[in-house]
Amino acid sequence: MTRGLHEPFATLPRQREAATFGIWIFLATEMIFFGGLFLGYAVYRHEYPAGFAAAGARTDIVIGTANTMLLLTSSATMAAAVWSGRAGLRGNTLLALVLTALLGTGFLVLKAVEYRNDIDEGLVPGSPAFPLSEPGAELFFGYYWAMTGLHTVHLVIGVGALGLTAWRLWRGRLAWRGTGFLHVLGLYWHFVDVIWIFLFPLLYLMGR
Amino acid sequence: MQRDQDDGRGLWLKAGAVWIALGVVLAATVAGAYLAPGPLRLPLALGLGAVKAALVVVVFMELFDSRASTRIAPLVGALFVALLFALSFADEATRQEMPRSFAAPPERAVQDR
Amino acid sequence: MIAPPDAASVSADSFDLMFLVMVVFSGFIVLLVATLVIVFSIRFRSGSRANRHEVRRLVSREVEIAWTAATAFGAMFFFWFASAHFLRHAAAPVDAMEVHVEAKQWMWKATHESGARELGSLHVPLGRATILYMNSQDVIHSFFVPAFRLKQDVVPGMTTTMWFTPTRTGSFHLFCAEYCGTGHSTMLGEIVVMDEAAFAAWLEARPGSGSLVDAGRVLFTEAGCASCHDPASAVHAPDLRGIYGRPVPLADGRIVTADAAYLQDSILQPDRDVVAGFDPIMPNFSGLLDEDEVAGLVAWLRTLERDDG
Amino acid sequence: MTLEAEAGRGRPGQTLPRSYLGAGHSVRSWLLTTDHKRIALLYLGTITVFFLIGGSAATLMRLELVTPPGELVSADTYNRLFTLHGVIMVWFFLVPAVPATLGNFVLPLAIGARDVAFPRLNLLSWYLTIAGGVLVLASLLLGGVDTGWTFYTPYSSLYSNSYVTLAAMGVFVNGFGSIATGINFLVTIHTQRTRGLTWMRLPLFVWSLYAVSIVMVLATPALAVALLMVVVERLFDLGLFDPARGGDPILFQHIFWFYSHPAVYIMILPGFGVISEVLTCFARRRIFGYEAMVFAMLAIAIFGFFVWGHHMFVSGQSYYANLIFSFLSFAIAVPSAIKVFNWSGTLYGGHITFEASMLYALGFIGLFTLGGLTGLFVASVPIDVHVTDTYFIVAHFHYIMVGGMVTAFFAGLHFWWPKITGRLYSESFARLAALLMFVGFNFTFFPQFILGWMGMPRRYWSYPDDFQVLNVASSLGAVILAAAYLLPPVYLGLSLWRGKPAGDNPWDATGLEWTTSSPPPRENFAVLPVVDTEPYAYHADRVEPHRRGDASHRAVSQSSDPGDDA
């Protein structure tokens, strides 16, 4: 009996391949899921370039850049966790997982600060204090909130999954060896990072 | 399941190297947003974004170490996002140019709920 | 009565020809498939003595290629056939008469170049190209005239166009074809095609014809008030005979006097003071009726009281 | 825990294990099951309930439309009825009907697997469907939704004062169930095929599930994001499509139809697979042009994504887009036509018998042909301009979805019922229901083509008098159709108590699912089968056509089947 082997698979490598294939298909669906929002952004940017430039200049580039760096770093630690797991280094894996979760939490904290500042500045569509009058500026912030909001939800799920995984690993309740579980978790985490890699220039760097 | 004898320094080094590369590209992206000539900024930003994404996808996500069927999945996803964009823009970019309204600007209706 | 729809525009005639060609073609294919299925089913039913030789791979491939090619050819033929028609009718003639159409839950309003307006109807001259510039004040509507075989969505935030050349005088249905809420199926109107002279006369008489009361009476029917407020109407709406000057109990318990201000408010902000026992279903007419028109309606309602004694 | 580790497994000659139905009788054993066969039955129960709810809404609508003025229900109620009918029938009946129900049951059996690749994910799909359904039903109980199943903005986001958010979230959640099923099937077909079952030996039903899974996986997220955008617009006033802020309501339609046109193929592709199985079996004939059928299905799945704009010819989209989408829509007629001709060709030279499944399948060919041909009308821009948003469209898509998919669902249900339950139903009642459905369906929906051509717009609660005759005809047909739909639950239900034992292979069919017992054991096969032939080898020696004769012959061969005690 091999630990972590599930019905209906006969061998672990086969199961690992299936899990990897499955999560990649899921990530493909996520691309289209985010794709709809990116399309909305692109269409309106095409229609209102000036409004989008003016609105893009109002986002917080310091927090945005810092957050991008946090996520890139967390991707590196996540990769380290997956590789450590594959090498059978339990302590290393645990350390890397916790680091990743902390970096993700850091992102969320900074994002919360940024959101609060945005609300204070009235950078919310429909807000009476909305500071910009260019056509399309409100649409930019509509998409800013929708895209970063959806990304944040994904990140919260990711941090939760990381925490749970670290806890189960620590308690010895996780069949982590050879099952590819860490790899699957890692793929999700990296994907959320890749989405941000494209959100960052579109939302923070336009109109600088 | 053979156990690696080293303490995992190699893998941390590898992750660190990629991390430094990502940081450099990020710095270039931010700098480009201020320094590059206007029309080039968007393609530059997206191009550098693609470089970062490629680093993550290839090294961290190990896309090319997977089976062929797995490798196709994200490719198909990307192709269909491109399709969504292409055919939507076939409409959005070729609409008849016409004033938005021939009457008074539409007022917001009072909403019940 | 199952009658073909009236054909009253240039594009309707070419539509009918194209439709007929496609019906005949489809009928032919349906017959072909039905014949194949029925003949094979009977001939090769279990127990029949039909000769059942193996279909050779080569033959089956040839058959496959043949009908794939035939279908592809047919599809491209119809694409060409339909698109050529579409392109021929895409651009309106430069001298087309312009009419601006406003759509709103749940009524149509048209403004002619002369400034003449009409609600729920559109008068157009025979034989002359007319182009409509259409805006919506709220949700998406669709301007659909079956007799012209034409339909165009009217989208808030943008202007859409539609053009036609009427070929028959008469009165034709105008429907809203894009679902737009509670009153969608009552968002009707009529297209009245008149010959040039009659149209010119109609247009001439249009602005400010007669007294305020007359204008109000005409408007009471044209704006659709009568379709609900007529005592014979199926819609549950207050009977307005003798309303003027009377106390009216409201849904929230207050009682107000139906003076001119109240009647005007009820037309422009119907949700505010709903009469007790009635649902707040009346559409909002603000933006569709101007001050003169509302004043005319109120004047007409005043006479209703006098008539009733 | 590995299956191989269980003692005594897979030894030939051993008595067959108990059927999956007998593997536990508690509620828990059903609600927490990871057995694809039990999950299929959970889905079957679910979609039956939703079909009844959606069908009742349709019946009320048809009653309302008997007279021109709106008399039976109010306009608001009518609007909620057609919205409910659309939402329930599309997402809670048609989409899960064949893939998640019949597909779930048959797929692992047909490829010689013990289960789908991710059994727990499979159960989660069902719970997501249920959760979505509960949200939609909650919105119904609170007062309903009146946007139409298309949720067009800005009506849905800014104007409707009904429970749009709740219903949209229901469809959103259900969508994830659909995505999970798609992922599961793709991975299953890639990794769980038994030895010797190469890609070109897969039964067409498996191919159709593969194609439909591709569509589910690639299209459903677009629906999810479109509905999510409507929801955030309602909840947080983000104004993503708000025309007052410069937004574009047509953009919503692009994203929505990027899902909803391919969704038509989610609803019809598995039907293609079912029909291919049934036709070959009862015609005792190899499918005509197997490779062409496979490529046609994949082509339809992929090209289905290229044509969504033909729903928008009058929406205000640009002329150029109209032409492009018109061209692409005509192109997709080709693979569909290939399929129809190949089914006809399959009948050539067969030994055809007319069991109920076969009647459904033959009916399917006719109805799908008519539905598909009227697709040519809506692919032509000038014709679509007149007929879109009229009853012509209503008739067109009901020919595809009800005439096509529902007919195929019944064909498949009757075909696999003996495998699912181990019992035979009353063949004469089943044939009666099939004929009644065919007649009732045409009676209901053919008049609607004429109505649409005459110009009657859809979603009308009251209508001008000229349209009454055909509306009455349509409503009369609906009565027949409703009666026909009530028959199968009765005689299929009765078969559970009174039906004769079916035996392992009552139709002498060639699929792998027929090589195991009826109903199958929990782990599907005592010994995993090995495949060495192409599918549909009905011409081969071991299934000589004359072996299948009348019912009495079959009964004899069944009684000799051992070990069937379901």
Side-chain angles (χ1 to χ4, degrees), chain C residues 6 14 28 31 84 99 109 158 164 196 200 234 241 277 287 307:
Chain C
D6 291 327
S14 51
F28 168 73
L31 270 181
V99 180
K109 178 181 179 179
M158 65 186 280
F164 48 82
E196 284 273 6
R241 286 177 305 181
D307 288 354

Side-chain angles (χ1 to χ4, degrees), chain D residues 466-479:
Chain D
D466 349 354
F467 302 133
Q468 189 177 10
V469 175
L470 288 164
N471 268 304
V472 170
S474 178
S475 295
L476 280 177
V479 174

Side-chain angles (χ1 to χ4, degrees), chain B residues 95-96 98-112, chain C residues 98 100 102 133 135-138 156-161 271 286-287:
Chain B
R95 290 254 182 93
Q96 228 177 333
M98 203 170 281
R100 279 196 164 262
S101 173
F102 275 78
E107 53 193 309
R108 272 314 267 294
V110 185
Q111 255 346 94
D112 335 55
Chain C
E98 277 184 30
H100 295 169
E102 282 284 314
Y133 290 93
N135 296 120
S136 165
Q137 294 197 1
D138 37 45
M158 65 186 280
T159 297
T160 54
T161 62
D271 292 350
S286 57

Side-chain angles (χ1 to χ4, degrees), chain D residues 51-71:
Chain D
F51 184 74
L52 290 177
I53 299 175
S56 315
T59 312
L60 270 175
M61 283 153 66
R62 275 318 326 164
L63 283 177
E64 161 64 44
L65 291 173
V66 169
T67 54
E71 286 171 328

Side-chain angles (χ1 to χ4, degrees), chain C residues 1-6 15-16 18-20 22-30 32-33 36-38 40-48 50-55 57 59-61 63-64 67-69 71-76 78-87 89-91 105-106 137-140 142 144-158 160-161 163 173-188 234-235 281, chain D residues 69-70 75-76 79-80 82-83 146-148 150 152-155 159 243-244 247-250 253 285-286 288-293 313-317 319 322-324 326-328 330-331 333-334 337-338 340-342 344-354 358 362 365-366 369-370 373-374 376-377 379-390 392 450 452-470 534 539 545 548-549:
Chain C
M1 300 114 284
I2 306 171
D6 291 327
F15 170 94
D16 285 348
M18 192 162 33
F19 195 81
L20 183 70
M22 289 195 103
V23 167
V24 169
F25 171 78
S26 304
F28 168 73
I29 299 286
V30 169
L32 177 71
V33 172
L36 283 179
V37 167
I38 292 170
F40 288 169
S41 292
I42 293 172
R43 180 164 162 74
F44 297 107
R45 69 189 184 280
S46 187
S48 79
N51 176 18
R52 298 172 167 89
H53 58 86
E54 187 83 353
V55 181
R57 292 248 164 185
V59 176
S60 86
R61 177 165 309 157
V63 172
E64 196 83 55
W67 65 43
T68 306
T71 324
F73 176 79
M76 286 311 105
F78 278 111
F79 169 67
W80 165 78
F81 186 54
S83 302
H85 173 279
F86 168 65
L87 289 174
H89 293 268
Q105 282 174 333
W106 294 281
Q137 294 197 1
D138 37 45
V139 301
I140 302 177
S142 192
F144 176 32
V145 186
F148 294 167
R149 312 286 188 275
L150 286 177
K151 182 185 290 124
Q152 174 62 53
D153 282 8
V154 185
V155 185
M158 65 186 280
T160 54
T161 62
W163 75 275
H173 285 303
L174 160 64
F175 293 120
C176 174
E178 185 65 68
Y179 174 68
C180 57
T182 309
H184 171 55
S185 53
T186 54
M187 190 166 166
L188 309 174
V235 179
I281 53 171
Chain D
D76 269 331
N79 296 342
R80 281 160 170 76
F82 72 67
T83 304
D146 70 344
T147 59
T150 45
Y152 269 17
T153 57
Y155 185 73
Y159 287 85
D248 179 6
I250 298 177
Q253 297 175 23
R285 199 74 183 162
R286 177 206 288 137
F288 190 94
Y290 173 85
E291 287 87 354
M293 291 298 254
F313 285 158
V314 300
S315 70
Q317 85 177 343
Y319 294 145
N322 279 358
L323 284 178
I324 293 169
S326 172
F327 175 79
L328 294 167
F330 274 110
V334 178
I338 291 177
V340 169
F341 286 126
N342 280 4
S344 315
T346 302
L347 295 174
Y348 181 83
H351 293 77
I352 302 168
T353 53
F354 299 96
M358 185 63 165
L362 295 175
I365 298 179
T369 303
L370 196 51
L373 280 167
T374 48
L376 291 181
F377 289 68
S380 343
V381 183
I383 293 187
D384 183 71
V385 165
H386 177 61
V387 299
T388 190
D389 280 323
T390 68
F392 191 92
I450 306 170
W453 170 63
M454 288 167 66
M456 178 170 168
R458 66 194 280 214
R459 296 175 171 179
Y460 262 35
W461 155 75
S462 61
Y463 54 87
D465 294 343
D466 349 354
F467 302 133
Q468 189 177 10
V469 175
L470 288 164
E534 58 185 359
H539 54 285
R548 276 186 78 250

Side-chain angles (χ1 to χ4, degrees), chain D residues 220-361:
Chain D
T220 317
L223 171 75
V225 75
L227 292 179
L228 190 69
M229 284 156 98
V230 168
V231 167
V232 295
E233 212 175 320
R234 276 185 87 86
L235 292 182
F236 307 112
D237 189 29
L238 287 188
L240 302 177
F241 305 110
D242 182 357
R245 295 179 187 160
D248 179 6
I250 298 177
L251 176 63
F252 170 83
Q253 297 175 23
H254 279 301
I255 305 176
F256 178 82
W257 288 114
F258 182 83
Y259 164 79
S260 288
H261 192 77
V264 174
Y265 300 106
I266 295 181
M267 294 176 236
I268 193 66
L269 273 170
F272 293 166
V274 172
I275 297 306
S276 304
E277 300 296 311
V278 173
L279 273 184
T280 48
C281 175
F282 295 105
R284 317 307 299 165
R285 199 74 183 162
R286 177 206 288 137
I287 194 90
F288 190 94
Y290 173 85
E291 287 87 354
M293 291 298 254
V294 171
F295 291 125
M297 270 195 286
L298 292 176
I300 289 172
I302 302 301
F303 283 106
F305 283 88
F306 289 65
V307 302
W308 80 77
H310 69 228
H311 295 264
M312 299 165 58
F313 285 158
V314 300
S315 70
Q317 85 177 343
S318 85
Y319 294 145
Y320 306 96
N322 279 358
L323 284 178
I324 293 169
F325 280 119
S326 172
F327 175 79
L328 294 167
S329 306
F330 274 110
I332 204 166
V334 178
S336 308
I338 291 177
K339 302 204 72 80
V340 169
F341 286 126
N342 280 4
W343 286 320
S344 315
T346 302
L347 295 174
Y348 181 83
H351 293 77
I352 302 168
T353 53
F354 299 96
E355 278 81 354
S357 311
M358 185 63 165
L359 293 183
Y360 280 113

Side-chain angles (χ1 to χ4, degrees), chain C residues 123-128 169 193-205:
Chain C
H123 290 71
V124 286
L126 180 73
R128 188 161 153 212
T169 55
V193 181
M194 314 165 96
D195 55 48
E196 284 273 6
F199 177 74
W202 175 85
L203 202 58
E204 191 69 27

